[in-house]
Amino acid sequence: MKRWAGIFLLVFVLCAGCQREEQAEPVTEWTSNYLGLSATYGEQGSFYTKSNFLHFLDPKSGMDSLICDNIECSHGKENCAAYFDGIVGASIEGDHLLLLTTYGGNSMTEYYLYETSLNGENRKKIAHLRDMQLMREVLFTEKYVIISFWNSFDEKYKPLEKDIAGIYVYDKEAKEGKTIWEIQELQARIPTLVHIGDEIYLVSFYIDLPI
């Protein structure tokens, strides 16, 4: 029995009515390549978690520090503003942070968007992102949060015969999100995701087993 991998490139337009502008470089501001590493990278620096505490690494100064700036804080998980369970990605949005996390959920597959102050205080849950189990890559852009994901279980947590891989987009202005594309195949994954202007470029693959 032979098996082969299907690999293909797709392009999606996020805003059908938008006038396209020529751009030579991707405009993504923050990228989280999430495979249990919980690290997000951008031109301003990078966020990462250690024991569920959120750190920021400043490339200009070389400083690596907790986002909590309270000098009286003992940095215990009960009271420290830098402590979050299950952070998938983080980005700086002007005078606040935008965090993608499982914090406050009842399972490891309940994902939420939070707004906080730059030091992690004043937490506000702004969205519940549904129907995703495992995330592969997250792009935080000016207008969107774009996520590649895959699901391996059904609603009763029974294994699927074929995985579902898809792209989920949260519109920051409209404050709503949805899955814009998905594929169901054996071990379907989306390892590469690029956002340029109002277009998403992705590479997807799967394993095909002939009967």
Side-chain angles (χ1 to χ4, degrees):
M1 179 182 291
K2 296 181 179 179
R3 72 176 187 175
W4 57 279
I7 303 175
F8 50 94
L9 172 68
L10 292 174
V11 182
F12 293 94
V13 179
L14 289 171
C15 182
C18 296
Q19 186 175 11
R20 181 176 177 178
E21 297 180 0
E22 294 297 328
Q23 299 185 26
E25 297 294 334
V27 297
T28 299
E29 296 171 356
W30 299 87
T31 301
S32 176
N33 198 316
Y34 182 67
L35 286 176
L37 301 177
S38 301
T40 310
Y41 306 91
E43 292 184 359
Q44 295 170 267
S46 62
F47 290 98
Y48 73 94
T49 58
K50 185 176 181 181
S51 300
N52 288 330
F53 287 88
L54 186 60
H55 292 246
F56 181 72
L57 179 60
D58 187 337
K60 294 181 179 179
S61 66
M63 292 187 62
D64 181 348
S65 58
L66 288 173
I67 63 169
C68 175
D69 59 2
N70 183 355
I71 59 175
E72 297 180 355
C73 181
S74 61
H75 304 307
K77 66 179 183 180
E78 294 83 6
N79 55 14
C80 182
Y83 184 85
F84 265 90
D85 287 321
I87 288 184
V88 178
S91 69
I92 298 175
E93 311 268 331
D95 61 354
H96 65 272
L97 299 180
L98 183 63
L99 305 179
L100 175 57
T101 175
T102 60
Y103 178 81
N106 295 319
S107 74
M108 294 301 294
T109 59
E110 287 191 24
Y111 296 97
Y112 299 95
L113 284 175
Y114 277 82
E115 282 185 355
T116 77
S117 302
L118 294 175
N119 61 4
E121 296 178 352
N122 303 311
R123 301 177 182 185
K124 178 183 178 183
K125 185 189 296 183
I126 62 172
H128 181 188
L129 310 187
R130 303 177 186 276
D131 302 324
M132 292 179 286
Q133 295 173 4
L134 296 167
M135 296 186 178
R136 177 62 175 82
E137 191 163 14
V138 183
L139 308 181
F140 294 88
T141 75
E142 182 180 0
K143 298 179 181 178
Y144 309 105
V145 180
I146 306 168
I147 303 164
S148 66
F149 69 91
W150 80 90
N151 297 340
S152 299
F153 302 92
D154 63 16
E155 295 179 352
K156 297 181 179 179
Y157 292 98
K158 293 182 179 180
L160 297 171
E161 291 185 6
K162 295 181 178 181
D163 292 344
I164 299 172
I167 300 296
Y168 184 99
V169 175
Y170 178 80
D171 187 316
K172 295 179 181 178
E173 183 176 351
K175 299 186 184 303
E176 59 183 24
K178 63 181 179 180
T179 298
I180 64 169
W181 179 82
E182 66 179 33
I183 183 173
Q184 185 166 13
E185 295 288 351
L186 186 64
Q187 295 183 23
R189 299 289 188 273
I190 303 172
T192 302
L193 189 61
V194 177
H195 169 251
I196 301 177
D198 281 298
E199 296 179 344
I200 300 173
Y201 296 77
L202 67 91
V203 173
S204 179
F205 73 85
Y206 60 89
I207 303 298
D208 184 46
L209 292 174
I211 299 176

